[in-house]
Amino acid sequence: MQNLFPILWNAKNDKELELFQKKCDNLDPRFIQFCVSKRRAEQNFINWVNWMYNTVREYLDSNFLNEIKRKWKFISRLWELYIISFLKKQWYNLLSTKEKYFSPDIKVEFNSKVIRIECVASSKWVGKNKLEEISEWISWGDIDMIDTPRKLRLTTVILDKQKKYQKYLASNRIGAQDPFIIAVNWGESYWDKINNGIESILYGLWKTYYIKNHDSDKLEWPFLERKSTLEKSEQKIAVPNNLFERTEFEGISGIIFFGCCLISSGDYNLDGINNNAFLSNSAHRLTLIRNIFAKNKIPDWFLQDFEKNIKLKAQ
């Protein structure tokens, strides 16, 4: 079995680890963490990643081993490995993507119909654009201050993959009628506390309002404020907030979303569920959101099998 994490050094504490990470500026800090520290919990994670890689390596890009080490690439490549492993476990018929030419990350075939899946991971990032932490039990402040930067980050990575989809079309790598899904991982900045979830940036939802019933003093059914664009505060650039309702997104069949950090999820059985969170929150389980306006809709067999597997495991 091939080991993705060679022993680079034995860091005795977090300070030594940090110093070593700074010296290896070309490598991803998270990757280095698992190459220099062998605590029990980290070893379980290492074994899991190695097992996934050796099980599905034939479906990975030829440059996967180089990419997973690169700075800021570890989480995104881990996400791709996870999605491929999850689909393989559910007995979806995967096709190899080791071609040398420009191609989507994952291909799933059924009755001569091929679904393409492109993976992307969004994070808090670093530097001046780093997202602020949110208190565990936040009960103050304007929801816009919390929502906007996180939604902008997610919208940006989805827009990038939509542009890549257009390049696939232009280069005849995929057909206009082929279902195309973007798989998004977001697990490092309290997405479960964002108003209206990821659906808000796909269908233009914003704040939730509740009306108080004067007779019973109870809150009645809420209504939603719609917002079609977000604004980047510094550049004053309008960013779309209703992606699925826009013409340029009619080729995006849907979004697979997982709002938890794969490193800490403990999902070693590939159940699509964050074992360290309350399952009542959809952000902590693998979710497939269809684009009702798509011209290349997700086949029912894929959608039903996907939802069935997640629901059964969550019970």
Side-chain angles (χ1 to χ4, degrees):
M1 177 180 288
Q2 184 165 352
N3 179 20
L4 273 64
F5 304 96
I7 299 175
L8 300 178
W9 190 52
N10 182 23
K12 298 181 179 63
N13 50 53
D14 292 340
K15 186 175 181 179
E16 288 190 1
L17 170 61
E18 185 178 347
L19 289 173
F20 192 77
Q21 288 170 329
K22 289 180 179 179
K23 290 181 180 180
C24 302
D25 189 56
N26 60 323
L27 298 178
D28 191 284
R30 290 292 186 90
F31 175 78
I32 294 175
Q33 174 186 344
F34 295 105
C35 292
V36 303
S37 178
K38 303 299 179 185
R39 288 175 292 190
R40 184 179 179 85
E42 292 174 340
Q43 190 61 54
N44 290 337
F45 174 81
I46 289 171
N47 293 340
W48 178 55
V49 175
N50 284 331
W51 172 80
M52 285 193 294
Y53 173 75
N54 285 279
T55 303
V56 301
R57 58 193 302 175
E58 64 182 292
Y59 306 108
L60 297 167
D61 296 339
S62 56
N63 64 345
F64 180 86
L65 287 178
N66 291 327
E67 284 286 296
I68 198 171
K69 303 174 185 178
R70 286 181 53 201
K71 197 168 187 177
W72 313 129
K73 290 289 186 178
F74 180 70
I75 296 297
S76 60
R77 284 304 193 173
L78 175 63
W79 170 237
E80 179 185 342
L81 177 62
Y82 176 87
I83 286 293
I84 292 175
S85 301
F86 173 84
L87 294 172
K88 184 67 175 176
K89 184 185 177 184
Q90 312 311 323
W91 298 102
Y92 286 107
N93 183 31
L94 301 178
L95 301 179
S96 175
T97 58
K98 285 192 172 181
E99 306 96 330
K100 295 181 180 179
Y101 55 75
F102 190 51
S103 177
D105 295 327
I106 305 171
K107 297 179 183 179
V108 182
E109 184 184 41
F110 183 79
N111 285 346
S112 299
K113 188 77 170 181
V114 178
I115 296 176
R116 269 78 171 185
I117 302 175
E118 187 75 17
C119 300
V120 63
S122 181
S123 68
K124 292 180 291 187
W125 206 238
V126 294
K128 67 176 183 178
N129 292 323
K130 182 178 181 180
L131 298 181
E132 296 297 326
E133 297 288 351
I134 300 178
S135 174
E136 180 90 19
W137 301 106
I138 189 165
S139 60
W140 53 267
D142 188 344
I143 190 65
D144 290 6
M145 295 176 63
I146 300 170
D147 273 15
T148 303
R150 286 161 174 77
K151 289 182 176 179
L152 281 170
R153 183 63 49 76
L154 266 176
T155 301
T156 298
V157 297
I158 294 175
L159 284 170
D160 286 345
K161 291 303 179 180
Q162 186 273 336
K163 292 176 182 176
K164 197 168 185 179
Y165 167 75
Q166 296 297 333
K167 292 180 180 178
Y168 287 142
L169 283 179
S171 59
N172 295 317
R173 299 306 181 196
I174 60 176
Q177 297 305 315
D178 294 333
F180 186 88
I181 299 172
I182 301 174
V184 183
N185 178 230
W186 171 270
E188 298 184 304
S189 193
Y190 299 105
W191 177 254
D192 55 320
K193 291 177 172 58
I194 300 301
N195 204 44
N196 299 322
I198 189 175
E199 290 84 356
S200 61
I201 66 172
L202 302 178
Y203 289 107
L205 307 178
W206 193 242
K207 294 179 180 177
T208 305
Y209 293 92
Y210 295 86
I211 300 176
K212 192 172 185 179
N213 187 314
H214 295 290
D215 296 327
S216 63
D217 278 342
K218 292 182 178 180
L219 294 178
E220 293 186 339
W221 192 259
F223 69 91
L224 301 173
E225 175 188 359
R226 288 182 55 78
K227 191 171 185 178
S228 60
T229 59
L230 303 175
E231 188 178 82
K232 287 187 177 180
S233 57
E234 295 181 2
Q235 299 93 333
K236 301 296 182 184
I237 299 174
V239 177
N241 188 53
N242 58 343
L243 303 183
F244 280 174
E245 299 175 358
R246 294 174 177 261
T247 304
E248 60 267 32
F249 265 78
E250 64 182 6
I252 307 301
S253 309
I255 298 287
I256 292 175
F257 183 76
F258 202 13
C260 73
C261 179
L262 292 173
I263 294 176
S264 61
S265 70
D267 186 23
Y268 298 154
N269 292 324
L270 297 173
D271 290 333
I273 296 171
N274 183 357
N275 293 309
N276 298 316
F278 294 109
L279 293 182
S280 59
N281 193 311
S282 62
H284 291 295
R285 69 182 66 187
L286 209 57
T287 304
L288 176 56
I289 308 166
R290 74 169 78 193
N291 180 1
I292 61 175
F293 303 110
K295 61 183 180 181
N296 48 350
K297 298 187 182 302
I298 302 172
D300 289 340
W301 62 265
F302 185 92
L303 190 67
Q304 291 169 2
D305 285 351
F306 193 96
E307 293 178 345
K308 178 183 69 176
N309 287 325
I310 296 296
K311 288 179 180 178
L312 285 175
K313 290 162 187 168
Q315 291 175 351

